Every structure is written in C-alpha cells, then in structure tokens.
C-alpha cells in the first residue's frame, strides 16, 4: 500500500516521504487513525537514540484494511490498537502483528484509542498493587498520572491523592477520581499527606514527574514497612536516593517500565479492555492534534509544551472523513 511516512532525516528535522507499506502473513495492514506523541521519542528527535534517517511513532491506532493469511479474529473495518511492531506510526498505513493487536469498541472515538501508553499504565498499576483501604499518591498529573487516576478511582482505596504544581491538571485529577489534590507550589506536601492519611502515610506512591529530586520526597511520604515506590517516569540524571530512609522503612522500589510487565501482549489486552469499559477517558487529555504534514510542528510542541499542553497526537488526515473531530 502506498503511504506517506515521516522520516527524521537528521536530528530535529523531519521530512515526509513516500513508501510502500508491506505486511507479513501474521500481520494486519492498518490505516492509521492516530499516533500519539511520546516524550521518550524526544531522545530520537535530538539524536540521542537511533541513527537517522529513521521513522518514529509507536502509539498507534487504526482501521484494518487488509489481513495476512495467518491472522484471525479480525475483519476489514475493525478499529485496532496494540503493541508497535517498529517505530513507524507517523504514516498513513502501518503493518502490525495480529497477535499483539486488540479490537477497540465502536463506542470509542478511534483517535482516542492509543493502546501503547495505556499498556504502560497497566504495568504501572501492577507495580502499585493497590490493596483495599490503601492510600495512594500520584506525583505528577500528566497524561500517565491522569490515566492511572482514572484506573484507581472508585471505592477500593481509602484515599487517592494527586500532587502537581498546575491547578488545571489538579482539577482534571479531581474530575477523574482523585479524592484529594495538593498543589506542591503552595502547600506543604508532607504535612497534607500526614493529615489526609491520619499519620498512616502512603501505601504506594507513583512517581510521574520525571524529576529525580522528587524521588526522595516520595520516600518521605511512604509508610513504614513495604511501601511501594513506583517509578513510572524515566530520569535523565542519576541523583542520589536517600537509601537510609529506604532501608529504615523497608521500601520497595519498583521500576514499572516494559520489563516489569513480563507479558506485554497481555498487559495490552488488559489496557484495551479498560478502554472499552470506559475506564480510560481521553477527551480532556488529548490537547493537541496535528496533521502528518505538520510532524515537525508536532515534535516542537511536544518539546516546548505550550500552555494547556497535555498530550499531542498525529492524525494523518485530520480533515479527512475518518477524523471524528474535536479541539486542537
Ligand atoms: Zn510512548
């Protein structure tokens, strides 16, 4: 299938090229509805990972247009999302493994069904291992933090506390089910946590700010005895962890990155099932939508994060028939 594809031709410079997208026996040929912009790929954009020229994009969702002979359970026209085969999501058509793809319900806006980051949220939840009556803290109410809040909302926890420095994000956290919000710019986080949990402190803290200095704050907020410190973010610098408190409190540090999953295909299945169940909501989280032709602009805003930026997506044909339309 003829397809446009975005190539990073040199660091910080994209170019749209034409390609022929082919697919194998065990693959689906998918027309891309959307592909999410992920901060991890800023590493590629800046030349820290990979070699140019290279394609990017792993948070894909699309419509099945052709199927390999060795795939089953799909029909042409199905909307699917799943694990990426390669980083080729910023294009019109991609080939994906049937066995790692899952059907999105017809009630879900196709451009909302970004499977891969939701798979990562499932892995984070596994690390948090919420138990009945736990107090949980989400540090950083970015997209991942907000999805985690959506999944953890409900009545299982004694408290689900969102911490950020942005009141708009905290308002969203509240809307999605956080029981308490703390603005770390204005409030003393340890005092507030002590008060909310009545001195118990947190059973788990999900660290999503990406700031290494916050890790020690998280350690302070955890209870004595097997509190779970869940590292959802990636960190650029080494920092120094307060090992004395880690040891004194017997804290468990869990890096909930893909290796933590043990079965990413199954975590992907779980993620799509929560999406189809209405647990994961995207309407207020996807803040910016770009055409494929504007990929350069898309990565620049991913980098600069203009006011109100939460999550950007590329919709190859934003003004085409399949785009369901919303702000951005
Ligand atoms: Zn990603």
């Amino acid at each position: 299938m003829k397809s446009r594809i975005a190539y990073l031709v040199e660091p910080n410079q994209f170019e749209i090229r034409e390609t022929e997208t082919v697919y194998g026996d065990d693959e689906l040929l998918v027309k891309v509805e959307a592909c999410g912009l992920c901060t991890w790929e800023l590493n590629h954009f800046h030349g820290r990972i990979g070699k140019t020229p290279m394609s990017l994009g792993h948070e894909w969702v699309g419509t099945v247009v052709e199927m390999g002979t060795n795939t089953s359970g799909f029909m042409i026209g199905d909307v699917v999302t799943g694990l990426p085969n390669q980083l080729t999501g910023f294009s019109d058509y991609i080939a994906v493994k049937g066995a790692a793809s899952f059907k999105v319900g017809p009630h879900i806006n196709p451009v909302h069904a970004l499977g891969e980051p939701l798979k990562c949220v499932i892995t984070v939840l596994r690390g948090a291992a919420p138990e009945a009556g736990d107090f949980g803290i989400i540090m950083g109410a970015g997209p991942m933090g907000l999805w985690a809040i959506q999944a953890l909302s409900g009545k299982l926890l004694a408290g689900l506390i969102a911490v950020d420095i942005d009141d708009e994000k905290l308002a969203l956290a509240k809307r999605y089910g956080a029981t308490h919000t703390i603005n770390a710019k204005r409030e003393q986080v340890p005092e507030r946590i002590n008060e909310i949990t009545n001195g118990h402190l947190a059973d788990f803290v999900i660290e999503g700010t990406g700031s290494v200095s916050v890790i020690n704050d998280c350690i302070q907020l955890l209870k004595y005895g097997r509190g779970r410190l869940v590292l959802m973010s990636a960190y650029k610098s080494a920092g120094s962890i307060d090992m004395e408190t880690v040891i004194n409190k017997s804290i468990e540090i869990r890096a909930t990155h893909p290796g933590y999953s043990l079965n990413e295909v199954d975590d992907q299945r779980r993620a799509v099932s929560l999406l189809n169940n209405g647990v994961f909501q995207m309407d207020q989280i996807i803040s910016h939508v770009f055409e494929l032709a504007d990929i350069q602009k898309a990565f620049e805003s991913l980098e600069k994060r203009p006011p109100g930026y939460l999550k950007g997506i590329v919709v190859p044909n934003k003004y085409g028939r399949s785009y369901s339309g919303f702000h951005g």
Side-chain angles (χ1 to χ4, degrees):
M1 186 70 76
K2 278 222 177 323
S3 176
R4 293 174 302 160
I5 183 164
Y7 265 96
L8 191 70
V9 287
E10 56 183 275
N12 310 315
Q13 193 55 54
F14 275 105
E15 194 180 287
I16 304 293
R17 292 182 177 176
E18 289 258 320
T19 187
E20 185 72 30
T21 304
V22 292
Y23 61 100
D25 286 351
D26 61 343
E27 292 181 324
L28 308 169
L29 181 68
V30 164
K31 178 179 171 289
V32 176
E33 300 289 348
C35 186
L37 292 152
C38 174
T39 44
W40 174 66
E41 289 188 348
L42 283 176
N43 288 305
H44 306 70
F45 186 60
H46 293 312
R48 286 193 291 266
I49 299 181
K51 250 186 96 178
T52 54
M54 64 180 152
S55 57
L56 290 175
H58 59 278
E59 301 184 354
W60 64 274
V61 52
T63 303
V64 176
V65 290
E66 287 175 30
M67 295 170 290
T69 48
N70 243 340
T71 59
S72 62
F74 298 100
M75 282 183 1
I76 289 174
D78 281 346
V79 174
V80 292
T81 185
L83 297 179
N85 226 358
Q86 302 152 318
L87 305 181
T88 52
F90 299 124
S91 54
D92 291 314
Y93 293 92
I94 54 169
V96 296
K97 295 280 179 214
S101 301
F102 298 91
K103 274 197 247 183
V104 175
H107 56 296
I108 305 291
N109 183 339
V111 304
H112 284 182
L114 307 177
E116 192 274 347
L118 298 179
K119 181 269 303 178
C120 295
V121 174
I122 296 291
T123 307
V124 168
L125 295 176
R126 174 162 290 127
E131 286 184 29
D134 271 356
F135 285 100
I137 299 176
I138 313 289
M139 288 294 234
M144 295 286 289
L146 290 168
W147 290 322
I149 287 168
Q150 292 171 355
L152 290 165
S153 67
K155 293 176 178 169
L156 181 74
L157 300 184
L160 177 59
I161 305 146
V163 182
D164 203 289
I165 52 170
D166 180 328
D167 283 327
E168 275 178 49
K169 288 182 189 164
L170 289 172
L172 267 183
K174 190 99 206 199
R175 195 188 131 157
Y176 289 139
T179 56
H180 302 78
T181 59
I182 303 176
N183 187 319
K185 235 197 232 163
R186 289 195 305 267
E187 298 172 84
Q188 292 300 315
V189 181
E191 280 79 354
R192 288 277 285 127
I193 294 296
N194 198 45
E195 182 187 300
I196 292 163
T197 65
N198 199 18
H200 172 89
L201 302 185
D203 296 279
F204 64 87
V205 180
I206 297 176
E207 204 304 293
T209 70
S211 162
V212 121
S213 61
V214 174
I215 293 179
N216 284 336
D217 299 335
C218 296
I219 288 168
Q220 292 303 325
L221 301 175
L222 280 164
K223 67 172 183 182
Y224 174 83
R226 294 202 199 182
R228 281 97 68 200
L229 171 57
V230 181
L231 301 180
M232 175 166 74
S233 288
Y235 304 91
K236 282 200 194 87
S237 61
S240 66
I241 291 183
D242 174 6
M243 286 310 288
E244 197 182 344
T245 310
V246 168
I247 302 299
N248 286 343
K249 287 185 171 180
S250 296
I251 284 169
E252 296 184 4
I253 301 179
R254 302 176 177 184
T256 51
H257 285 255
Y260 194 84
S261 165
L262 301 181
N263 188 341
E264 285 186 75
V265 173
D266 194 55
D267 275 3
Q268 185 64 78
R269 175 193 65 76
R270 291 166 193 267
V272 177
S273 107
L274 264 70
L275 177 74
N276 286 337
N277 287 348
V279 172
F280 291 129
Q281 297 157 53
M282 303 290 185
D283 53 330
Q284 301 287 306
I285 293 183
I286 295 174
S287 58
H288 289 68
V289 182
F290 301 91
E291 280 252 322
L292 182 58
D294 292 330
I295 185 82
Q296 185 71 30
K297 226 170 84 190
F299 267 74
E300 284 163 7
S301 28
L302 173 65
E303 166 104 87
K304 291 191 193 101
R305 306 186 158 262
Y309 188 95
L310 261 177
K311 179 80 181 175
I313 59 172
V314 169
V315 171
N317 287 292
K318 186 173 164 183
Y319 303 106
R321 202 159 47 90
S322 60
Y323 176 61
S324 320
F326 50 111
H327 56 88

